[in-house]
Amino acid sequence: MTAGTTFSDILTALAQGWEGRRVDEPVLSVALPIKGVDPLCQVPLLAENEKFRFLWDGSPGRCLAASGRCQYLELSGPRRFELAQRFSDAALGRLVDVAPEAPSSASPRILLAFSFFEQSSERQRVKGLTPAVQAVLPRWQLSRQGHQCWLRLTAVATHEAEVRELAEEVWLMSKRLAQKSEPKERVAIHMSSGLTFPQQWQDCYRPALIRGIQLVNQGILDKLVLAVRQSIWLKAPLDPLSILSRLRVQQPGSRRFLWQRNEDEAFFGASPERLLSLRNGQLQIDALAGTATREDDGYLLLRSDKDLREHELVVSSITNQLINQGLQPRRARRPQLARHGKLLHLHTPITAVASKNPPLSLVEALHPTPAVAGFPRREAISWLRTLEPFERGNYAAPIGWIDNSGNAEFRVAIRCGNVRGNELELTAGAGLVRGSIAERELQEVGLKLAVLADQLDLQSRRSVNRVIT
């Protein structure tokens, strides 16, 4: 399809795809270019009749929105990465793409969200299960790369008459997207007055924090990343898209994401940490550990023995995991500084050639990194189960996508929140190593929680009624 694509062109392409099908009920996928629109702003229209919606936002010119489920997988328990890879391969292998000329940024994708633990605890089963993996081949995709914007519809065709229905559906949606003006409230940035957290979360977090520091100082663990969860009750339901729109300006180096299973439940955030990206067999990973406020211009952070040790532990662990996968990773000799809002992090890029490695086998090998769990991995995870009084769910777990060319991108889901009705849950953690000081870690966690909390306008209808830890 090209800029001059007509309805007849779409119908002909879909009909040829139906005629060339290899199974009785093929999955047909058609894509066509539309005038440059911002996918973030068009999520409500794209998902107007769909429960599931997704956003993957790097900038206004590099963004993916999706909605609806053409095919999906949800499960818990062991072998989740292997089974998710099989589902992805099968779903994409069955798909008949009738728009092969579409750019790679508009390729059909499997969207994936994992939970931190493969098996939920008893307390999570009582509250409600977060699947260990959710994999979705979306019905609608709206992608933008630079000035190129493409709309894709993917659906199962059970009989020939549905081919014309699909052509009409994608044609009408393209016209609606091109004509609909972008809502001003979605793109305007209104600086929030900020949210000051009460001390309850610090009071509850401090005992676990002190115990964690004891574990690393005694040499029982080399590192432990303890998290805290803050529950905020709002006067009205929160629209995550409004927060994500603001974070484009305030956290430009992050990847903003939204995973919304239904109208009442959404997981969203602005992650600065790339677990991996895989493009044309080239693997890129961000090792991100060691944190300071922007009052430090980086001089102290780059000379902090505690932060440098914490960072090197993460880098070494990632490179060792890649070596175990048969790869030859390359890394920078010294960490760089990465600025994300009010925080500075030590950052080391790691690269490798990984043309023969299935994306999710690499995700499985890397998750969880010491940046979000600790080291040694097994012992650290056991202590997290003991010291954290809540289920992590999707927090600090992989979220991202795989396309039909084997390309993939996954982020570590941090700087994130869960919305369930009028309840907003924020989660953040601190990496503890030998030499960690409780007061400094408390300050760091407070700043991480504030990445999303500062977007709440206390004077608006979304103001806070009460806070529960």
Side-chain angles (χ1 to χ4, degrees):
M1 309 296 173
T2 64
T5 297
T6 65
F7 174 77
S8 178
D9 295 331
I10 297 172
L11 182 59
T12 299
L14 283 168
Q16 290 174 348
W18 169 263
E19 292 170 0
R21 68 191 184 279
R22 290 171 292 179
V23 294
D24 290 337
E25 297 182 356
V27 178
L28 299 181
S29 187
V30 60
L32 66 157
I34 61 175
K35 293 180 180 180
V37 297
D38 184 350
L40 185 154
C41 297
Q42 302 293 354
V43 169
L45 175 57
L46 195 70
E48 192 172 51
N49 299 311
E50 308 287 355
K51 292 182 179 180
F52 173 78
R53 55 183 190 166
F54 173 87
L55 182 71
W56 195 253
D57 181 48
S59 68
R62 190 175 57 182
C63 184
L64 168 71
S67 70
R69 295 180 177 95
C70 174
Q71 296 183 326
Y72 71 97
L73 169 74
E74 291 187 0
L75 57 83
S76 295
R79 298 176 58 216
R80 55 180 175 156
F81 293 98
E82 175 190 347
L83 295 173
Q85 185 70 59
R86 288 186 183 182
F87 167 81
S88 302
D89 293 342
L92 293 173
R94 183 186 174 196
L95 184 146
V96 180
D97 186 2
V98 302
E101 72 284 357
S104 60
S105 60
S107 297
R109 305 189 194 191
I110 301 293
L111 314 175
L112 297 117
F114 293 86
S115 64
F116 186 86
F117 297 108
E118 68 177 22
Q119 200 76 41
S120 60
S121 67
E122 184 59 35
R123 61 176 174 262
Q124 176 69 8
R125 284 190 286 272
V126 171
K127 184 176 181 180
L129 179 68
T130 298
V133 59
Q134 301 170 69
V136 175
L137 174 63
R139 196 166 189 274
W140 292 104
Q141 276 185 207
L142 180 62
S143 56
R144 181 169 178 173
Q145 183 75 30
H147 296 292
Q148 287 188 323
C149 193
W150 285 72
L151 173 68
R152 177 176 291 275
L153 173 62
T154 303
V156 177
T158 57
H159 50 81
E160 189 173 3
E162 286 185 336
V163 171
R164 183 176 183 87
E165 294 175 8
L166 294 177
E168 292 174 348
E169 197 171 358
V170 71
W171 179 255
L172 291 174
M173 177 64 82
S174 70
K175 296 304 180 184
R176 292 182 68 193
L177 289 169
Q179 294 172 3
K180 186 175 177 62
S181 60
E182 297 177 356
K184 293 181 180 179
E185 62 269 20
R186 295 258 185 247
V187 296
I189 304 300
H190 304 291
M191 299 304 295
S192 168
S193 57
L195 175 64
T196 301
F197 282 109
Q199 296 301 305
Q200 291 99 316
W201 76 264
Q202 295 187 11
D203 295 339
C204 294
Y205 186 51
R206 192 184 299 271
L209 184 63
I210 291 173
R211 180 59 179 138
I213 292 175
Q214 290 174 346
L215 291 172
V216 295
N217 284 339
Q218 293 169 2
I220 297 173
L221 296 172
D222 294 318
K223 181 179 181 181
L224 183 65
V225 183
L226 275 178
V228 65
R229 176 159 292 167
Q230 186 83 353
S231 293
I232 305 170
W233 288 90
L234 307 168
K235 289 183 177 179
L238 178 71
D239 180 5
L241 293 174
S242 298
I243 290 182
L244 295 174
S245 178
R246 296 179 182 185
L247 289 171
R248 268 187 175 174
V249 172
Q250 298 176 13
Q251 302 281 329
S254 68
R255 179 72 78 239
R256 278 77 59 196
F257 62 86
L258 169 68
W259 186 282
Q260 187 157 354
R261 298 176 70 188
N262 52 58
E263 293 180 358
D264 298 323
E265 182 179 356
F267 178 61
F268 67 102
S271 173
E273 186 171 353
R274 175 170 48 185
L275 183 66
L276 66 82
S277 67
L278 187 61
R279 286 181 172 80
N280 301 318
Q282 299 299 312
L283 179 68
Q284 292 184 311
I285 296 170
D286 293 332
L288 206 69
T291 304
T293 65
R294 293 197 68 166
E295 282 72 21
D296 174 10
D297 62 1
Y299 179 86
L300 296 177
L301 186 59
L302 289 169
R303 287 159 180 79
S304 166
D305 177 67
K306 176 261 182 187
D307 289 291
L308 289 170
R309 281 189 290 105
E310 177 185 354
H311 184 77
E312 182 57 32
L313 190 151
V314 173
V315 174
S316 297
S317 175
I318 291 173
T319 54
N320 288 336
Q321 290 293 344
L322 295 179
I323 291 170
N324 292 338
Q325 294 295 305
L327 304 181
Q328 298 179 335
R330 299 180 298 276
R331 52 162 292 184
R333 290 186 178 182
R334 298 181 181 85
Q336 306 166 0
L337 289 174
R339 290 175 168 82
H340 295 281
K342 297 179 181 179
L343 295 174
L344 285 175
H345 302 286
L346 293 176
H347 168 228
T348 295
I350 300 171
T351 60
V353 176
S355 56
K356 298 181 180 180
N357 300 74
L360 291 182
S361 70
L362 296 173
V363 173
E364 181 178 20
L366 294 170
H367 173 73
T369 72
V372 292
F375 191 84
R377 179 189 287 184
R378 182 175 299 177
E379 290 82 353
I381 288 175
S382 178
W383 278 106
L384 292 180
R385 286 290 203 188
T386 301
L387 295 176
E388 292 180 350
F390 58 88
E391 188 73 18
R392 285 198 170 193
N394 299 116
Y395 167 71
I399 185 170
W401 54 265
I402 299 172
D403 73 11
N404 60 348
S405 298
N407 300 319
E409 184 176 351
F410 286 87
R411 289 274 164 158
V412 181
I414 55 176
R415 313 291 191 272
C416 59
N418 274 290
V419 175
R420 295 182 182 90
N422 284 31
E423 182 183 16
L424 171 63
E425 292 182 337
L426 305 179
T427 311
L432 310 177
V433 296
R434 181 168 42 85
S436 291
I437 299 172
E439 293 305 318
R440 178 181 171 184
E441 305 304 333
L442 287 168
Q443 179 188 26
E444 177 181 321
V445 169
L447 289 170
K448 291 175 179 177
L449 288 170
V451 169
L452 295 186
D454 278 353
Q455 310 309 312
L456 300 174
D457 188 343
L458 296 181
Q459 306 305 317
S460 76
R461 63 184 180 87
R462 302 187 182 97
S463 59
V464 176
N465 283 338
R466 57 195 176 98
V467 180
I468 300 175
T469 302

